[in-house]
């Protein structure tokens, strides 16, 4: 038997929470959330509701995911702003 087979460790609670948050982000980005209303923008609040965790959990325990959410939200806002500007110039 190999070493990895002998030392299997089930995922920690934090790892499971991180996975739930990542899955919530993907579902919201794809427009197919299970908990929140479809069409809601990607935000820490919407991801927290979708994942079944608190906003504080995302901020305090998963800062990398919080940053990913903020960047995605900012990108969407910039895209919307740029579309508005280009349509007003036409």
């Amino acid at each position: 038997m190999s070493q990895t087979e002998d030392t299997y460790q089930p995922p920690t609670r934090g790892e499971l929470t991180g996975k739930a948050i990542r899955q919530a982000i993907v579902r919201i980005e794809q427009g197919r959330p299970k908990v929140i209303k479809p069409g809601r923008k990607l935000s820490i609040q919407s991801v927290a509701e979708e994942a079944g965790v608190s906003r504080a959990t995302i901020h305090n325990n998963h800062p990398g995911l919080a940053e990913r959410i903020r960047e995605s939200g900012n990108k969407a806002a910039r895209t919307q702003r740029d579309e508005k500007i280009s349509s007003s110039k036409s």
Side-chain angles (χ1 to χ4, degrees), residues 20-84:
I21 294 167
R22 286 188 297 278
Q23 289 174 338
I25 292 168
V26 170
R27 286 195 304 268
I28 293 169
E29 287 177 334
Q30 293 177 348
R32 297 183 338 199
K34 293 180 180 179
V35 177
I36 66 170
K37 184 177 176 183
R40 231 172 117 183
K41 72 175 189 164
L42 183 67
S43 66
I44 291 179
Q45 178 66 40
S46 64
V47 171
E49 289 176 27
E50 181 69 18
V53 300
S54 70
R55 289 178 297 140
T57 295
I58 295 173
H59 285 293
N60 297 334
N61 300 336
H62 304 280
L65 293 174
E67 185 61 29
R68 176 180 167 188
I69 295 165
R70 283 190 290 273
E71 286 175 1
S72 293
N74 291 340
K75 186 177 181 180
R78 283 191 305 271
T79 301
Q80 187 177 26
R81 179 200 64 211
D82 294 344
E83 288 173 358
K84 238 184 199 180

